[in-house]
Amino acid sequence: MINRQILTLDEFTIQQYRKIPNATGELSSLLRDIGLAGKRINVEVNKAGLVDILGDEGTTNVQGEDVKKLDVFSNNQMVGVLQHGISCAGIGSEEMDDVVIFNDEISNDSKYVVMFDPLDGSSNIDTNASIGTIFGIYRRVTSPGQPASEADFLQAGVKQVAAGYIIYGSSTMLVYATRRGVNGFTLDPSIGEFCLSHPDIKIPDNGKIYSVNHGNFFQYEAPVKKYIDICQNKTKENGGPYTQRYIGSMVADMHRSLIKGGIFMYPGTTDKPGGKLRLMYECNPFAFIVEVAGGMASNGKQRILDIVPKKLHDRTPVFIGSTKMVEECLSYWKESQ
Ligand code: P6P
């Protein structure tokens, strides 16, 4: 019987940082902190139907969306572990109007800031669909030894040093990317550890699943309508037939696309020409992960990771996934210009 040692998240990140000269281990401890928040959120998500933590918290967030109680709990967990950790100078959250600069001695010496959506897809909480936490980690542009500033947060996604998500689904997984690769860890509840289950994830360069909200079809621009028509008419002769999957939870739709291949689209609409999904803590983290895994991410006109944010809660249209599918989609944008 081969005693296959299963690497925990901590063991893996420590192994990784030992390969990097002058690494301080701060990124490893940051990922440990996020993993801890994920375990705590997982406990509440898994028992949400049993205790009074479902339902609305009675307020609306900066996005104008009803805040669910689990949103508030999840946001508090992420802020708490990052503020009490040793590796984060401040955070930006989907649930909070402005950035939070921790401004204490240890935090001011930290070289990273973190952007996150603490519980994306929360409109699906009451229906038990998979939901998730999404995060992006940036090196500060201001020097450690002083409080972080807003400039540390408004960086293009290409500047991320790491990004990832935690999906609370049939199993709970933490997937994160650095420039060295994308790795997935499945939570083993019996030992309370995320264990390496999906080493070196690569997204298939082609796929047969397209993911978009058809309910908005008539609000989409012509290139999007044309590409959706193309998807619906694919046959065996030209790489199809395709199937359509749309859960309405970005983490769930993107996790499937990463593992099985496919394209996920949230285009601009006549109601929301700039799109619905947020650049800093939804699209940038997934664009980073997908590009490291070998895929592609665009807003229809430019690479997501090259977009320079103007404001913390900027939104962007997004077309992301298997390179060949995204390239075909973008070819109809080029035709229209
Ligand atoms: P729609 C969830 O509310 C979310 O922010 C993403 O997780 C998801 O991809 C999208 O919105 C779904 O939006 O308009 O299709 O319901």
Side-chain angles (χ1 to χ4, degrees), residues 120-121 123 213 216 246 248-250 264 266 276-278 282:
D120 179 73
S123 54
N213 183 338
N216 298 331
Y246 190 75
S249 174
M250 185 182 195
F264 172 79
Y266 205 106
K276 171 185 181 184
L277 300 181
R278 296 75 165 190
E282 288 173 336

Side-chain angles (χ1 to χ4, degrees), residues 77-326:
Q77 292 307 314
M78 285 292 286
V79 174
V81 296
L82 292 169
Q83 186 153 20
H84 299 122
I86 58 167
S87 309
C88 180
I91 60 100
S93 167
E94 192 247 7
E95 291 298 330
M96 304 176 86
D97 297 5
D98 303 306
V99 298
V100 177
I101 308 295
F102 293 148
N103 196 10
D104 60 72
E105 194 179 341
I106 291 179
S107 302
N108 288 348
D109 276 342
S110 303
K111 58 186 177 188
Y112 297 118
V113 293
V114 182
M115 301 289 298
F116 58 79
D117 183 349
L119 200 62
D120 179 73
S122 53
S123 54
N124 296 288
I125 290 174
D126 303 356
T127 59
N128 215 14
S130 296
I131 52 184
T133 300
I134 311 168
F135 60 91
I137 300 171
Y138 292 80
R139 196 183 309 283
R140 294 171 60 170
V141 295
T142 54
S143 314
Q146 59 185 323
S149 73
E150 189 167 48
D152 293 316
F153 296 88
L154 295 181
Q155 300 185 58
V158 70
K159 298 287 190 187
Q160 291 173 110
V161 294
Y165 60 91
I166 301 164
I167 180 167
Y168 311 102
S170 49
S171 67
T172 297
M173 271 191 76
L174 184 150
V175 177
Y176 86 90
T178 63
R179 289 280 170 214
R180 302 167 71 90
V182 184
N183 291 280
F185 302 79
T186 300
L187 182 65
D188 179 345
S190 68
I191 56 172
E193 291 284 2
F194 282 105
C195 299
L196 183 63
S197 53
H198 296 66
D200 196 23
I201 297 173
K202 295 293 181 196
I203 186 170
D205 68 352
N206 209 343
K208 298 185 177 182
I209 302 172
Y210 73 101
S211 185
V212 69
N213 183 338
H214 269 273
N216 298 331
F217 182 83
F218 293 105
Q219 291 196 51
Y220 294 147
E221 294 180 75
V224 180
K225 288 179 182 172
K226 177 156 188 186
Y227 178 63
I228 291 175
D229 282 341
I230 294 285
C231 290
Q232 292 177 317
N233 291 289
K234 287 279 183 181
T235 62
K236 268 202 290 200
E237 287 63 47
N238 59 4
Y242 282 7
T243 188
Q244 198 265 352
R245 290 283 183 277
Y246 190 75
I247 298 167
S249 174
M250 185 182 195
V251 174
D253 283 317
M254 281 308 305
H255 184 64
R256 181 200 58 247
S257 303
L258 186 66
I259 301 297
K260 290 181 173 272
I263 184 170
F264 172 79
M265 299 178 274
Y266 205 106
T269 60
T270 43
D271 285 353
K272 296 175 185 161
K276 171 185 181 184
L277 300 181
R278 296 75 165 190
L279 172 64
M280 294 306 293
Y281 38 78
E282 288 173 336
C283 297
N284 271 339
F286 275 112
F288 183 86
I289 294 163
V290 163
E291 283 203 8
V292 173
M296 199 169 172
S298 170
N299 68 358
K301 299 182 173 76
Q302 76 175 112
R303 184 183 178 220
I304 291 284
L305 293 182
D306 288 338
I307 300 173
V308 178
K310 297 182 180 63
K311 298 189 303 299
L312 191 64
H313 299 294
D314 280 353
R315 298 173 193 261
T316 177
V318 61
F319 304 85
I320 182 171
S322 296
T323 297
K324 288 194 167 58
M325 298 181 84
V326 177

